[in-house]
Amino acid sequence: QVQLVESKGGVVQAGGSLRLSCAASGRTFSNYCMGWFRQAPGKEREFVAAIRWSSSRRYYTDSVKDRFTISRDNAKNTAYLQMNSLKPEDTAIYYCAATSSILCATSEYEYEYWGQGTQVTVSS
């Protein structure tokens, strides 16, 4: 089993930045993808970004592509989501997730392991 633990989120002003981390334990992630999803009140959970652990190939949803960066630290088994130029519409609970799929899927149903979620609020 894989355990995923997100860092705490927080409140940030529009235009500001915040970094989330997701620490993984229990298995080697060399052939995994790790992703970030988010869910706002009244909205469906949506894909944000993912990274292939072995190659560092990255994937982003269009709304964050030029503002967010996903990365990983192999030594720490930790994935990061650096969020810049934050907007109020980025407000959501953010979840990290992992999948053993050969491809980094954008569907939440392809991800086998999930963190507990952390609240990010962007104020105007």
Side-chain angles (χ1 to χ4, degrees):
Q1 184 72 286
V2 174
Q3 311 285 340
L4 303 176
V5 179
E6 299 105 332
S7 61
K8 64 179 295 183
V11 180
V12 64
Q13 292 282 343
S17 298
L18 188 66
R19 190 187 75 163
L20 302 179
S21 65
C22 177
S25 62
R27 295 187 185 182
T28 301
F29 279 73
S30 60
N31 60 349
Y32 274 71
C33 288
M34 292 189 66
W36 289 92
F37 292 77
R38 65 186 182 186
Q39 187 168 23
K43 303 291 186 180
E44 296 183 352
R45 185 152 54 186
E46 67 170 339
F47 172 80
V48 177
I51 184 168
R52 186 182 298 277
W53 203 256
S54 59
S55 69
S56 295
R57 185 173 181 180
R58 297 177 292 186
Y59 308 84
Y60 299 96
T61 193
D62 287 344
S63 63
V64 309
K65 186 175 181 63
D66 297 322
R67 300 183 295 121
F68 292 9
T69 302
I70 188 170
S71 62
R72 57 102 169 106
D73 185 329
N74 281 349
K76 297 181 179 180
N77 274 350
T78 299
Y80 302 92
L81 185 68
Q82 178 66 47
M83 302 182 291
N84 298 326
S85 301
L86 282 162
K87 305 174 181 179
E89 49 263 47
D90 296 316
T91 295
I93 299 174
Y94 283 71
Y95 300 87
C96 69
T99 177
S100 59
S101 173
I102 192 170
L103 298 175
C104 289
T106 59
S107 170
E108 63 179 306
Y109 302 107
E110 294 294 325
Y111 285 79
E112 304 159 61
Y113 310 103
W114 291 85
Q116 77 282 1
T118 188
Q119 178 70 46
V120 173
T121 301
V122 183
S123 64
S124 59

